[in-house]
Amino acid sequence: MAADYPDIDIAPYIDHSLLLPTATPEYVEKWCEEADRYHFASVCVFPIYVRQAAELLHGKKPKVCTVIGFPTGATTSATKLYEAQEATDNGATELDVVLNLAWLKAGKTEEVHRELAEICESTGQTVKVILETSLLTDAEKKIAAELAMDAGAAFLKTSTGWYGGATVEDVLLLKEIAKDRVGIKASGGIRTTEQALDLIVAGATRLGTSQGIQLLKGVGMQEKRE
């Protein structure tokens, strides 16, 4: 599929993700410099690095993104809310929030909705809800997506990458459910340019990946930006 779309500029889609437990401040500095140089959409870092990333990217185009309740979504609602508010205070403008999968599977939809709505309303930031699609049935994906959108999410995100990655099929399904009401972020296992282009063509409006520069090489964009 990707061969039919050679002119797509991948860079503006990329959330340049640095979610390694061993990542040091030096890595954060490198990721921020790369995001600025290659015009990526954002840098996604752990909450401990939000303030550093915000300082490094002050006045620059890439946004500062962080993860909330990552990677299981099973922390308490109060903990998630505090984490989201603290990240916002430290300079994050995008929050990738892991949905509580146990609640979803137990049918506790009101609790799921309330938790997400509190984060969206209290922070006022761009919230991307991580559905962890590889662990859900199609019916559960639809319920989760509708809950997230109704709660005020700006994006539906496929995966954390810990339990499986983004697929074209899931992006197509989320696009059908969303009907262009929100963005769709494909994340997890995106390592080739062909994968990235296929996901964009399927409907992804963001790509979460640590391989952004490698993806640009595949379409000859890296050299143009250096």
Side-chain angles (χ1 to χ4, degrees):
M1 184 191 296
D4 298 328
Y5 300 88
D7 298 326
I8 295 175
D9 184 1
I10 294 174
Y13 290 85
I14 292 174
D15 284 352
H16 198 33
S17 302
L18 180 60
L19 298 173
L20 293 171
T22 55
T24 63
E26 289 74 21
Y27 275 87
V28 176
E29 185 172 356
K30 179 176 184 287
W31 250 245
C32 288
E33 188 276 327
E34 290 171 348
D36 182 44
R37 184 196 314 171
Y38 296 111
H39 305 165
F40 292 151
S42 79
V43 168
C44 188
V45 296
F46 283 121
I48 60 168
Y49 289 130
V50 166
R51 189 180 295 277
Q52 180 189 1
E55 291 173 354
L56 290 169
L57 291 172
H58 180 71
K60 302 181 185 298
K61 188 173 181 180
K63 301 179 187 303
V64 177
C65 174
T66 194
V67 286
I68 306 298
F70 189 87
T72 67
T75 48
T76 66
S77 295
T79 300
K80 282 185 181 176
L81 183 58
Y82 179 87
E83 192 175 26
Q85 291 171 331
E86 182 181 45
T88 298
D89 291 343
N90 286 338
T93 58
E94 299 197 347
L95 308 171
D96 287 19
V97 181
V98 186
L99 179 142
N100 189 316
L101 295 170
W103 278 354
L104 181 72
K105 287 183 173 291
K108 296 184 176 183
T109 54
E110 289 185 10
E111 288 87 341
V112 172
H113 181 275
R114 181 173 61 248
E115 178 177 274
L116 296 175
E118 285 179 348
I119 292 172
C120 291
E121 292 168 9
S122 70
T123 65
Q125 304 303 327
T126 296
V127 171
K128 310 186 200 96
V129 175
I130 305 175
L131 308 181
E132 206 66 271
T133 49
S134 63
L135 300 181
L136 302 178
T137 65
D138 283 355
E140 289 170 337
K141 292 169 194 174
K142 186 176 189 304
I143 294 169
E146 294 289 355
L147 287 170
M149 289 188 292
D150 190 61
F155 285 81
L156 303 174
K157 179 176 172 180
T158 62
S159 325
T160 61
W162 285 55
Y163 310 102
T167 66
V168 166
E169 291 75 20
D170 277 337
V171 170
L172 288 170
L173 177 61
L174 293 179
K175 180 177 174 63
E176 180 182 350
I177 295 168
K179 302 187 188 311
D180 296 323
R181 287 175 284 172
V182 298
I184 297 170
K185 178 175 175 178
S187 184
I190 306 172
R191 297 185 177 88
T192 70
T193 303
E194 183 175 5
Q195 277 180 292
L197 291 171
D198 284 347
L199 290 165
I200 291 171
V201 171
T205 54
R206 288 283 186 93
L207 303 175
T209 178
S210 61
Q211 305 295 315
I213 295 173
Q214 295 301 316
L215 300 183
L216 294 187
K217 286 181 179 179
V219 288
M221 292 303 299
Q222 183 194 26
E223 294 79 6
K224 294 180 182 180
R225 296 184 186 279
E226 291 183 336

